[in-house]
Amino acid sequence: MVGSALHTLDSVEGSGKTFKLVSHGNVASVIQKVRTSPRARMFADLLRSDSSTQSIFFHHWRQLSLLKELSFPLFVSSDTRPSGVDPLVKEAALAKEMSAVKFQGVLTEALPLIEKRVKTFQVRLRAAGIDPDKGSNEQVMGFLLDQMGFLSGGSPIGTMLTQAKSFEDYFADEMGDFELELLTALKVGVRNDGLDRRNRLIKESALNEVEYEAAVAKLREEEFLRPVLSVLWCRGHPKLPVTSVYVGDQWQVVPQCDTCHERLSHCTYLIPSAASMMFVRHYEGILPYLMAWDLEQNEVPWAAHAYLDGESRDTEKDLVFKPKGKKGVTIVECKSTYTDTPDRTMDVNLRDHLIQLAQHVASYQSKNITVARAVLATNYKTTKERQEMVKKWVMDEERLKCLRVPDFSLIGPNTLECWWK
């Protein structure tokens, strides 16, 4: 049965019984958005056909994410590696020195008020029944938490700002300069962290530096990656450091140094555009979404993260679809794992994935649902050696025997063209 909006598969046929499919997850809602986005469809075409794009995006989500807790893909591009005298390091050292002197001056001027506040705090402690000379750390900490609002539901930040207001006259006039000096001191860290991230992405993508930068440039030119922050610096005159920070795509042409007119080097952070983010931000990786779009685009009835309704022991299938003009259904298991692992680890992962796929096939076969084909799709490239190794496992291992009856396929980023046929 085909749904009215998407080409969804709502049920599968067993022997004398129809099993309703229940889908979980957000694959269907994402595909619905892709249908109405020409840019997202163009990106999907690029994912299928361009090997460099595949190398950059087909990873475990944590390899691409800025945060360990949240999937937020972040990429870095640069045209150089620091060498010789590094202007950013020199500038940062000078800024830190200036900021330290200024902060020391603030402390010196504010010392009488600080001492007064400490004495007031001691009086409040004693009024609360705590002797600051004898009280335990737990008592003092409890008093502090209560005063800052943690125990009463108040705002700790608000309390801190209220306390800081007493010192406002000592630092407010200098705050503008201090912020600029702090930003200058941070530039080198932002740049260095970016270069470290770039080097890791290059390594994990199995591309060389030239290939990686060419792929990023192409994605940026086609607006599938967009810059969010750039650090630029001049290497032409290290005695007079010149650095800049740009937010977004503020520079359209290659900027030059105002002093020596040399081309500025850059380290640029980039995030996927809305069109490409539809595919690349997911914890399961790109595969379930890209493959579901392939099915939808070709009007093949499909279901994602599907269970048999009312069957508590049924296993979740990443994708189930009914090929046109063929009997039975196809089960697809999608896996995106870490790519910076030895071949031996990849082999172990593949065997584990095959066992899981075999369990899915067996669960349908036990209910006399015809499985015409089983597909294991991973973010590992499909090589001839890998195909032969997997085929041998299927033929030799008893726990994989249910994969011998259906047509079995191993799919990778490089074999996605017409994979559903």
Side-chain angles (χ1 to χ4, degrees), residues 58-98:
F58 279 80
H59 294 287
H60 187 277
W61 70 269
R62 282 190 174 175
Q63 291 179 269
L64 301 179
S65 181
L66 171 66
L67 306 170
K68 291 183 178 180
E69 299 80 11
L70 182 68
S71 180
F72 185 79
L74 183 71
F75 301 85
V76 179
S77 171
S78 183
D79 60 345
T80 188
R81 296 177 181 175
S83 60
V85 178
D86 189 343
L88 266 73
V89 172
K90 184 176 181 180
E91 191 177 52
L94 180 61
K96 287 179 180 178
E97 182 179 336
M98 292 174 62

Side-chain angles (χ1 to χ4, degrees), residues 24-174:
H24 298 268
N26 66 339
V27 175
S29 62
V30 170
I31 299 306
Q32 194 70 268
K33 289 192 291 184
V34 172
R35 287 180 67 178
T36 60
S37 172
R39 297 288 303 158
R41 298 198 297 271
M42 289 175 62
F43 183 66
D45 292 340
L46 196 62
L47 281 174
R48 287 192 212 96
S49 60
D50 187 75
S51 59
S52 294
T53 301
Q54 292 167 1
S55 296
I56 288 176
F57 286 110
F58 279 80
H59 294 287
H60 187 277
W61 70 269
R62 282 190 174 175
Q63 291 179 269
L64 301 179
S65 181
L66 171 66
L67 306 170
K68 291 183 178 180
E69 299 80 11
L70 182 68
S71 180
F72 185 79
L74 183 71
F75 301 85
V76 179
S77 171
S78 183
D79 60 345
T80 188
R81 296 177 181 175
S83 60
V85 178
D86 189 343
L88 266 73
V89 172
K90 184 176 181 180
E91 191 177 52
L94 180 61
K96 287 179 180 178
E97 182 179 336
M98 292 174 62
S99 298
V101 171
K102 188 163 294 183
F103 188 66
Q104 183 63 44
V106 169
L107 285 177
T108 301
E109 292 182 26
L111 189 58
L113 183 55
I114 293 173
E115 291 177 344
K116 182 180 178 180
R117 284 289 176 179
V118 171
K119 290 179 181 178
T120 301
F121 179 65
Q122 289 176 331
V123 171
R124 292 170 67 185
L125 279 174
R126 289 191 174 95
I130 301 171
D131 188 337
D133 297 322
K134 297 181 180 179
S136 67
N137 291 335
E138 289 79 4
Q139 284 181 299
V140 176
M141 182 60 68
F143 179 79
L144 282 172
L145 292 175
D146 181 58
Q147 290 298 302
M148 294 185 72
F150 280 105
L151 304 182
S152 61
S155 169
I157 299 298
T159 303
M160 292 171 65
L161 292 176
T162 300
Q163 296 297 319
K165 188 171 180 63
S166 304
F167 301 91
E168 184 175 349
D169 289 340
Y170 293 96
F171 63 79
D173 295 339
E174 309 279 344

